[in-house]
Amino acid sequence: MRPLVAAEAVAVLPSDATRFFGAVPYSTQASSAESKHSVDGISPRLPRHVKAATPHTYGRRILCRARRQDWQLTVDEHKTERLARTLYAELGERADYRRLRAVARLWDSAREYGLDHTSHDDDLIGLASVVEWPDEPRAHVLSSLLRTMQRLSLQDWASGGLPDFTDFLWLPLVLNLEPGSIDTALIDEC
């Protein structure tokens, strides 16, 4: 099988999360599974040199190595809402909980779908409907919010902040940690 680069993985592999394979070192063979149950089921069937992991687990390993920490890198489950509060504080605006949650869902979903402030207006409006945006969605507003959330999230990571669950997929790609391609990709239960 010809090695897949990150951009090809998006188009070829059947799961959004598998675009993450672009972060696997060149000499590595890896398998992705959507859940721990899938990993447990597929691991015994793989050759010894092929490792199985969910995309989130693999991303966590990369981030642990980047921080030179052991496997127990803690997850900040409230990071996105905290960053949304910071965003509105920077804007000098007061936001109710409903709006904070909408911005948090927008940021989480954008990272999961591989969207950002540079995405097409139609994609941003579609994303707003997925996250049940409370107002009439305007692409330029959504783009601005995503740009600021990205900046805040990267600043938080750079200052030693902990990742949230979605960061396991997003940060290794954005920070270009362990770029490369893989020799083989096995997808189970996608």
Side-chain angles (χ1 to χ4, degrees):
M1 172 182 272
R2 183 176 66 78
L4 297 173
V5 295
E8 292 172 319
V10 176
V12 175
L13 301 174
S15 167
D16 287 329
T18 56
R19 72 178 179 280
F20 186 62
F21 276 133
V24 180
Y26 287 100
S27 62
T28 303
Q29 289 189 353
S31 168
S32 173
E34 288 296 308
S35 67
K36 184 180 181 323
H37 172 75
S38 298
V39 169
D40 292 343
I42 198 172
S43 291
R45 296 180 283 164
L46 297 174
R48 212 179 337 233
H49 67 283
V50 178
K51 305 294 183 217
T54 65
H56 288 90
T57 300
Y58 185 72
R60 186 179 203 162
R61 288 180 195 154
I62 291 173
L63 295 179
C64 286
R65 281 194 295 269
R67 285 276 172 90
R68 293 175 168 51
Q69 291 184 338
D70 65 11
W71 173 239
Q72 298 305 316
L73 184 64
T74 306
V75 176
D76 181 352
E77 295 180 15
H78 305 287
K79 176 182 178 179
T80 307
E81 286 182 37
R82 178 175 48 81
L83 294 178
R85 282 192 297 278
T86 303
L87 175 143
Y88 279 103
E90 282 187 3
L91 294 173
E93 296 180 18
R94 188 171 158 88
D96 61 18
Y97 184 73
R98 183 172 159 242
R99 177 150 315 273
L100 290 173
R101 286 296 305 140
V103 170
R105 285 191 311 270
L106 181 77
W107 178 234
D108 286 343
S109 296
R111 291 179 292 160
E112 289 172 0
Y113 293 133
L115 301 175
D116 65 13
H117 64 279
T118 65
S119 297
H120 191 276
D121 288 358
D122 291 344
D123 293 330
L124 296 177
I125 298 300
L127 182 65
S129 67
V130 168
V131 302
E132 299 175 11
W133 192 250
D135 303 323
E136 180 67 32
R138 297 184 193 154
H140 72 280
V141 171
L142 300 171
S143 176
S144 178
L145 291 172
L146 289 176
R147 180 185 304 110
T148 304
M149 287 297 284
Q150 179 173 341
R151 177 182 53 81
L152 292 172
S153 191
L154 290 172
Q155 286 173 343
D156 188 72
W157 175 258
S159 68
L162 297 171
D164 65 12
F165 194 65
T166 309
D167 280 339
F168 295 154
L169 297 175
W170 179 75
L171 273 172
L173 292 173
V174 171
L175 297 175
N176 200 26
L177 300 174
E178 299 189 25
S181 63
I182 60 168
D183 298 319
T184 306
L186 304 173
I187 312 301
D188 191 17
E189 294 187 20
C190 290

